[in-house]
Amino acid sequence: MIEKLGIKFGKIFRSLKFRIFCIILLVGFIPSMILHYGILQNYEQRAISVKTSEVQTQFKILANHLITYNYLTDTTSDVINAELEQLSSLYDGRVLIVDQNFNVVKDTYGISEGKTIISEEVIRSFQGENVVNYDDKNLYLELVTPIEEGVTQDLGLTAQEPVQESVVRGVMVTSVATNSIQTNMELLSDRASILQMIMSIVLIGIAWGLSYVLVAPFEKVTAAISEVKDGFYTERVPVRDYLETEHIIEAFNELLGRMKVLDDSRQEFVSNVSHELKTPITSMKVLADSLIAQENVPVELYEEFMTDIADEIERENKIINDLLSLVKLDKTAGEMNIESVDINALLERILKRLRPIAKLRDIDVIFASTREVVAEVDEVKLTLAISNLVENGIKYNNDHGYVKVSLDADHQFFIISVEDNGLGIPQESIEHIYERFYRVDKSHSREIGGTGLGLAITRSTILMHRGSIKVESEEGAGTTFTVKVPLTYIAK
Ligand code: ADP
């Protein structure tokens, strides 16, 4: 159960649609979150600084009044007391006025009057500094403002102007509540959250829609390929939305084309095989039927017809053997029985076997080798390939002709050429001679006993050795086949 769920989730994570969905969501969400928190932070800083400068201005004015009314030594001034009350209620805060002896002369809360207050902020303020502290946990702003008096100092030097100086007479310690800022921030945050929610819903919608739209062409490709798979055979699959899908389709169409070629050649091969196998049987039937139909057939005719039937059986046998070799080559394409083989000896053996056949028509079979060659080959397969070439050299030759087999090698390849001075191959036939069942002159070839499979077998075998085969021929003058095979077998 858990495993199944895991596989299902794994599938979802691997899906392009899901990934596009996530990317769009992330790309939308991250900026909106940054914006949300950035705006709130910025607002808080700005609100605090506005509040600070506003309060500071107010208290500077108050400080001047305190000096004017000499409030630090006498706190009975109704005007100042009223002003203090007004300010502390306006800012929902507390004001302490401290004189030069660090004595609290006035506390709007009336708690600390007469007490001494010495703190770092107060000392710094006595040195003329405006100290501001923001306590964001308890939500208040603490300001310590110096109460300064301007004094004119005449240094007694006539040439110089009297110097205007400020002397700190006391300090004001003020706590101002910042609840309003917090309330505004909460309001702002709520609105931003609502906006973010709406944006999220819209984003999810867009991401969902886009992930579908963007992936749709790939699904179209799959559907089109499935149609072909299910048998709706079209020449080409026509999906062209993206360059990428176009590439997939192009590759698929190419594959389809190659499959079609293969399919066609398979069908052609099957029909050729049936035709080739049927021909000798048809002849045998005609021969047998004509014998049966006649009464008192002379023994000579019997003998003649029976010889013909035996020839047809021989031919049928040859076709079947060639076909079996070909099928075996296809089947065992990967199974090469590679070993080090003395190629000179291999060629000698082939020629020894074929010389008696050549001798019947007085054809000379010559072997010319420039060096000893040992190579990594499949002996059985290579023997078959070269035998076919030499056999052809004998078959398609004139009486008293010759077949010359030469062997040479460089550091990479060995080269076998099979040359004859026989019938030659017409120019237009050369490109077809490796096709299965192809014969230049059907009737003549039949007389000679060809099946049209020999060169197909030879070429497959040479290609399996990663070699190449080439032919040069002139009609009426002769033919030369050149086979080039690597000395060391290259396994793919
Ligand atoms: P086959 O069994 O008919 O010989 P192959 O595949 O060996 O079939 O050869 C195909 C055709 O190529 C032959 O029918 C023949 O017409 C031509 N051919 C092959 N080798 C030679 C050659 N050495 N000289 C002339 N024609 C040849």
Side-chain angles (χ1 to χ4, degrees), residues 120-138:
E120 194 201 327
E121 287 84 3
V122 171
I123 293 167
R124 270 164 56 201
S125 193
F126 267 115
Q127 285 159 0
E129 202 179 315
N130 276 299
V131 183
V132 182
N133 279 332
Y134 175 55
D135 183 343
D136 59 352
K137 284 199 186 71
N138 300 313

Side-chain angles (χ1 to χ4, degrees), residues 392 395-396 420 424-425 433 438-440 445 450-452 454-455 479:
N392 281 352
K395 275 194 298 191
Y396 303 103
D420 66 63
I425 306 166
I433 53 171
Y438 181 82
R439 279 164 289 173
V440 174
S445 180
T451 61
L455 286 180
T479 308

Side-chain angles (χ1 to χ4, degrees), residues 26 62 93 126 129 135 234 262 274 320 381 393 414:
L26 277 180
L62 178 67
F126 267 115
E129 202 179 315
D135 183 343
T234 39
L262 271 178
S274 336
I320 290 172
K381 291 194 175 92
F414 66 89

Side-chain angles (χ1 to χ4, degrees), residues 115-372:
K115 289 184 183 164
T116 306
I117 180 169
I118 304 173
S119 69
E120 194 201 327
E121 287 84 3
V122 171
I123 293 167
R124 270 164 56 201
S125 193
F126 267 115
Q127 285 159 0
E129 202 179 315
N130 276 299
V131 183
V132 182
N133 279 332
Y134 175 55
D135 183 343
D136 59 352
K137 284 199 186 71
N138 300 313
L139 302 180
Y140 73 85
L141 192 64
E142 189 191 64
L143 293 117
V144 187
T145 327
I147 304 167
E148 289 169 324
E149 187 181 359
V151 277
T152 314
Q153 273 193 355
D154 192 347
L155 298 172
L157 302 166
T158 45
Q160 279 184 323
E161 288 279 309
V163 178
Q164 188 78 27
E165 246 190 13
S166 304
V167 178
V168 181
R169 298 288 183 214
V171 296
M172 251 183 304
V173 182
T174 331
S175 311
V176 176
T178 55
N179 293 355
S180 61
I181 295 177
Q182 215 51 39
T183 318
N184 275 348
M185 269 191 35
E186 271 160 25
L187 204 81
L188 207 71
S189 176
D190 284 351
R191 285 198 185 160
S193 296
I194 292 171
L195 215 73
Q196 225 177 355
M197 278 238 300
I198 296 171
M199 254 178 79
S200 305
I201 294 168
V202 174
L203 245 166
I204 290 173
I206 291 175
W208 189 262
L210 267 181
S211 66
Y212 264 89
V213 171
L214 293 177
V215 170
F218 288 98
E219 284 177 354
K220 267 205 262 173
V221 170
T222 318
I225 291 177
S226 296
E227 261 186 28
V228 173
K229 195 182 72 194
D230 295 342
F232 291 95
Y233 191 83
T234 39
E235 282 284 308
R236 299 186 77 75
V237 174
V239 183
R240 301 213 166 277
D241 297 69
Y242 294 142
L243 204 64
E244 287 78 3
T245 51
E246 202 175 312
H247 287 162
I248 298 176
I249 286 305
E250 269 166 18
F252 182 73
N253 280 337
E254 217 170 275
L255 186 74
L256 216 62
R258 275 174 56 187
M259 272 165 59
K260 192 162 158 37
V261 169
L262 271 178
D263 197 43
D264 288 352
S265 85
R266 189 183 54 86
Q267 274 181 16
E268 195 189 314
F269 180 63
V270 171
S271 88
N272 282 345
V273 168
S274 336
H275 175 78
E276 295 296 325
L277 290 177
K278 256 178 81 181
T279 321
I281 291 177
T282 316
S283 320
M284 284 189 265
K285 175 130 179 68
V286 170
L287 288 167
D289 280 351
S290 65
L291 280 182
I292 295 164
Q294 293 178 47
E295 278 177 26
N296 303 324
V297 186
V299 178
E300 297 78 40
L301 201 67
Y302 249 117
E303 275 174 1
E304 193 193 328
F305 276 29
M306 280 318 228
T307 316
D308 287 349
I309 288 176
D311 283 349
E312 291 300 333
I313 291 173
E314 175 63 24
R315 192 174 150 64
E316 183 90 27
N317 198 24
K318 216 167 171 249
I319 296 173
I320 290 172
N321 280 339
D322 276 359
L323 269 174
L324 283 178
S325 306
L326 207 64
V327 171
K328 226 161 106 193
L329 279 184
D330 277 352
K331 242 183 157 169
T332 59
E335 298 169 22
M336 295 282 279
N337 186 18
I338 300 294
E339 52 197 344
S340 273
V341 176
D342 178 344
I343 305 294
N344 296 66
L346 179 140
L347 292 177
E348 295 278 15
R349 277 198 299 278
I350 294 173
L351 299 190
K352 193 173 165 206
R353 186 169 56 81
L354 295 176
R355 263 191 195 111
I357 303 167
K359 209 162 181 196
L360 295 177
R361 292 169 57 211
D362 190 27
I363 293 168
D364 219 1
V365 178
I366 315 153
F367 178 44
S369 166
T370 49
R371 64 192 76 214
E372 287 295 314

Side-chain angles (χ1 to χ4, degrees), residues 9-72:
F9 272 115
K11 257 191 174 172
I12 290 176
F13 283 126
R14 272 172 45 220
S15 115
L16 180 64
K17 203 186 280 176
F18 179 75
R19 289 183 185 186
I20 292 175
F21 178 75
C22 290
I23 289 169
I24 296 171
L25 269 196
L26 277 180
V27 167
F29 263 131
I30 293 172
S32 94
M33 301 255 278
I34 293 174
L35 221 68
H36 183 160
Y37 289 103
I39 285 175
L40 283 184
Q41 278 283 311
N42 205 289
Y43 170 78
E44 190 178 22
Q45 275 170 11
R46 259 211 72 68
I48 297 288
S49 107
V50 166
K51 186 99 180 171
T52 308
S53 76
E54 184 191 323
V55 174
Q56 267 175 341
T57 316
Q58 288 290 346
F59 281 95
K60 251 202 186 107
I61 297 167
L62 178 67
N64 285 338
H65 290 177
L66 291 179
I67 293 294
T68 317
Y69 284 90
N70 209 9
Y71 193 80
L72 287 165

